[in-house]
Amino acid sequence: MQRLVLDVDGVIEFERRIAENGVALDELMRRAGLAVANAVLSVGACGRLEIDGLEGGALDLSGMCGVCQVSRCVTRKACGKGFPFKLPRVAVMAGAGNNGGDGWTAAEVLAEAGCEVTLISPCAVEELSAWPVRDEARRIMERLDEPALAGLRVVVSPDEGIARDILLQADMVVDALLGIGFRGVELREPFATWVAFANEARERGALVVAADVPSGMSAQTGQVTDPCVRADVTVTMLAAKPGLLLPASAEYVGKLVYANLNLNMRSYRKFVPESSSGAGVGRLELIDDITRHVNRTFEPPRAFTPSFGSSVLKQAAEIGLAQRAKSGAGVAAAASAVAAESDVADALDFAVDSGEADGIGDSGAMLAQRVLAEDSAYGEATGGALRSVGTMVSGGDLAAPAPCCLSAPSGPVDLLSRLESLDAPFSVLLLNLIDARGLTDAQVYKRAGMSRQLFSKIRSSADYRPLKKTVLALAVALELSLEETGELLARAGYALSHSSKADIIVEYFITRGIYDVMAINEVLFAFDQPLL
């Protein structure tokens, strides 16, 4: 498995070992900038709605073009491919540390691709103390007179009004202010003001891409300042950091996209340190075990082939459609025409409940549903059985069918009774489980990584239907068994499936009694699955 999760100290040590064994830190920084630029152009090409449909890591930022060495050929000049969309106007917020170096490289690549780019920096290049960002910024400044960088403008220490104009006029904002070294305590100026302007730009429709971690968030703990960048996409370099994987971090991280910086992680695996958080080598061994489990368990979805629970159901659909067209008689009469062969009401009940009516086409589905729905219109609301249909046909080419062709089914309960005896809703079962385990609401939603506001919505509305990932996070927080998890999912209209790798992974942890949302998210990230 090529995806890693490391704590901050582990990432720093991993970078150091990589630099000692072949790829220097300045080269890693350039590759990180290329990944950010690629994300900007990929996001700009599809827009916000498409971003919301992507799974974490769906953007492939790892491949380098063999001609220009830029990920996915973002440089039109080198490859001559270009992009079939209007290139965005980009504002880059570059900090004074090495995270800012990612921003400088991204700005250079985007300008070469034809974008209009404005980079704002808190200080002049000569005042940058960190290496390699200082050398990277100096190199790019020396190139500003070149035609290839005609679209790049660098603004040093802009006043508040100029910074606001730059950010609010941008189509895309790159956040490269603060990296993994930030502890999530307080944003100093001018960064706090710039972050507030970036969030305002996003509210007005701009898209925000964060380099490695949103500025204002601790990559280690997920703690955030006010303000903190709210990104649409966060490009995490080499390894995901624990703070990015917390459910509460999702509103700041957006879509978490992995960039391996063109490194073969299988080759560099031997340099992965053991992190203090338990990630690293130990987690890789766990992922190897889960990989084997997924390979044994995963069932790829098959193409749907229409099938019929009963041949009588198919005949009922065909006869019902033909006779309705011929005489205008009710669908109940059509159903009764084949009742002598079998109990059609049972078949129709089964079809409606199981969804198999969809397999017989529009006319069959209509028959299956309307035999039940129109029952009351013909006299008696018996749900599944039509006790008497003799008086339903008063003329036309069809003779009235014999009465009592359909008797009340002994198996299925009638529809009205079913509707009057629903199971308790999801929220009721959830609160009962919390009480049964002697936990408080706060204990549960904190373990699940949920906000108090979301939990309040679930608690106060019996009709509220949470997302499947929310239900699974609550099941883990409550330490439910697999059977209990299935019941909780069912109350929200979901189920675990072996055609879903994410479901298999969650099932793996639950059956082994590992109730740790963070650990589950680390493995979901490794398999490129949505996080809880």
Side-chain angles (χ1 to χ4, degrees):
M1 184 54 56
Q2 296 187 12
R3 290 174 175 235
L4 300 172
V5 178
L6 293 172
D7 62 21
V8 169
D9 291 339
V11 171
I12 294 171
E13 176 62 18
F14 188 38
E15 289 178 344
R16 186 188 67 79
R17 294 180 184 183
I18 291 174
E20 289 178 350
N21 291 273
V23 183
L25 289 177
D26 56 346
E27 176 60 22
L28 288 176
M29 188 181 69
R30 292 191 190 98
R31 295 184 184 186
L34 293 175
V36 171
N38 181 67
V40 168
L41 291 174
S42 299
V43 169
C46 61
R48 187 185 298 274
L49 293 178
E50 291 298 323
I51 295 170
D52 290 341
L54 292 173
E55 303 295 349
L59 296 177
D60 179 14
L61 306 181
S62 58
M64 293 289 186
C65 169
V67 177
C68 63
Q69 293 302 304
V70 176
S71 187
R72 293 178 69 180
C73 298
V74 297
T75 305
R76 292 183 299 171
K77 177 182 176 183
C79 293
K81 293 192 175 182
F83 282 81
F85 64 95
K86 180 181 178 294
L87 290 168
R89 178 184 300 173
V90 183
V92 178
M93 303 187 297
N98 285 332
N99 190 256
D102 299 349
W104 279 90
T105 300
E108 178 186 35
V109 174
L110 290 168
E112 288 183 331
C115 296
E116 181 181 334
V117 184
T118 301
L119 181 145
I120 57 176
S121 172
C123 59
V125 172
E126 296 74 18
E127 299 173 6
L128 295 172
S129 58
W131 179 89
V133 61
R134 181 183 61 252
D135 293 352
E136 183 72 355
R138 181 181 293 118
R139 181 187 65 80
I140 293 171
M141 288 294 290
E142 292 173 352
R143 295 191 60 211
L144 285 183
D145 292 335
E146 297 180 13
L149 295 186
L152 176 59
R153 179 169 65 117
V154 176
V155 180
V156 176
S157 300
D159 63 37
E160 190 171 304
I162 293 176
R164 185 175 187 272
D165 289 342
I166 291 171
L167 291 166
L168 265 59
Q169 291 172 10
D171 303 310
M172 306 277 299
V173 176
V174 172
D175 166 32
L177 289 175
L178 299 169
I180 60 176
F182 181 70
R183 302 302 179 185
V185 179
E186 182 180 4
L187 278 180
R188 68 178 187 272
E189 292 294 349
F191 293 168
T193 299
W194 293 2
V195 167
F197 291 156
N199 288 340
E200 183 181 351
R202 184 174 184 270
E203 291 174 359
R204 297 189 178 196
L207 294 164
V208 179
V209 175
D212 217 13
V213 59
S215 294
M217 173 182 286
S218 166
Q220 182 65 32
T221 66
Q223 179 180 345
V224 296
T225 60
D226 184 16
C228 177
V229 165
R230 295 178 181 269
D232 294 284
V233 173
T234 297
V235 184
T236 187
M237 316 300 176
L238 292 179
K241 292 77 185 174
L244 301 176
L245 300 179
L246 295 172
S249 300
E251 63 180 295
Y252 302 98
V253 173
K255 298 298 178 182
L256 185 60
V257 178
Y258 176 67
N260 68 12
L261 308 188
N262 206 30
L263 299 176
N264 185 335
M265 285 303 174
R266 295 189 184 277
S267 300
Y268 282 91
R269 177 171 174 160
K270 59 187 175 183
F271 301 124
V272 175
E274 182 67 68
S275 296
S276 58
S277 66
V281 176
R283 189 70 75 216
L284 285 173
E285 293 171 354
L286 173 64
I287 289 173
D288 285 344
D289 183 49
I290 296 177
T291 300
R292 292 187 289 270
H293 175 73
V294 170
N295 290 339
R296 289 193 303 267
T297 311
F298 181 62
E299 298 174 359
R302 299 174 182 173
F304 175 72
T305 302
S307 60
F308 303 92
S310 167
S311 61
V312 177
L313 181 61
K314 181 178 180 181
Q315 294 175 30
E318 296 171 347
I319 294 174
L321 180 63
Q323 293 189 353
R324 173 178 283 277
K326 184 176 181 180
S327 67
V331 287
S336 70
V338 292
E341 179 178 338
S342 180
D343 191 343
V344 180
D346 280 350
L348 294 175
D349 260 347
F350 175 80
V352 171
D353 288 347
S354 66
E356 287 201 2
D358 292 340
I360 61 178
D362 293 340
S363 59
M366 177 182 70
L367 172 69
Q369 295 171 9
R370 292 190 64 185
V371 163
L372 300 178
E374 293 187 16
D375 191 1
S376 59
Y378 293 112
E380 295 184 69
T382 57
L386 305 176
R387 295 195 180 97
S388 175
V389 295
T391 60
M392 294 180 187
V393 180
S394 58
D397 296 330
L398 283 179
C404 301
C405 285
L406 296 178
S407 59
S410 58
V413 182
D414 66 77
L415 180 60
L416 292 180
S417 297
R418 290 184 180 188
L419 294 176
E420 291 171 356
S421 58
L422 298 175
D423 290 336
F426 170 82
S427 59
V428 173
L429 177 58
L430 173 65
L431 296 177
N432 288 341
L433 288 169
I434 293 174
D435 292 341
R437 280 161 170 74
L439 299 172
T440 65
D441 292 353
Q443 286 175 316
V444 173
Y445 69 68
K446 286 180 180 178
R447 289 181 187 177
M450 294 172 52
S451 66
R452 181 167 56 88
Q453 291 80 2
L454 174 57
F455 189 86
S456 295
K457 287 182 182 179
I458 297 173
R459 184 183 182 89
S460 60
S461 174
D463 296 328
Y464 185 82
R465 184 184 181 189
L467 297 174
K468 183 176 181 179
K469 66 177 184 178
T470 301
V471 181
L472 289 174
L474 288 167
V476 172
L478 288 164
E479 299 187 1
L480 300 184
S481 67
L482 192 61
E483 182 179 356
E484 291 170 326
T485 300
E487 178 64 19
L488 189 64
L489 282 166
R491 297 297 176 92
Y494 305 111
L496 291 173
S497 169
H498 280 184
S499 65
S500 165
K501 290 183 179 181
D503 286 1
I504 293 173
I505 290 168
V506 174
E507 179 183 299
Y508 174 96
F509 279 88
I510 290 175
T511 55
R512 286 159 177 77
I514 306 174
Y515 295 102
D516 184 342
V517 171
M518 183 65 191
I520 294 172
N521 274 346
E522 288 183 16
V523 177
L524 289 170
F525 172 78
F527 281 86
D528 192 16
Q529 299 298 307
L531 307 181
L532 296 184

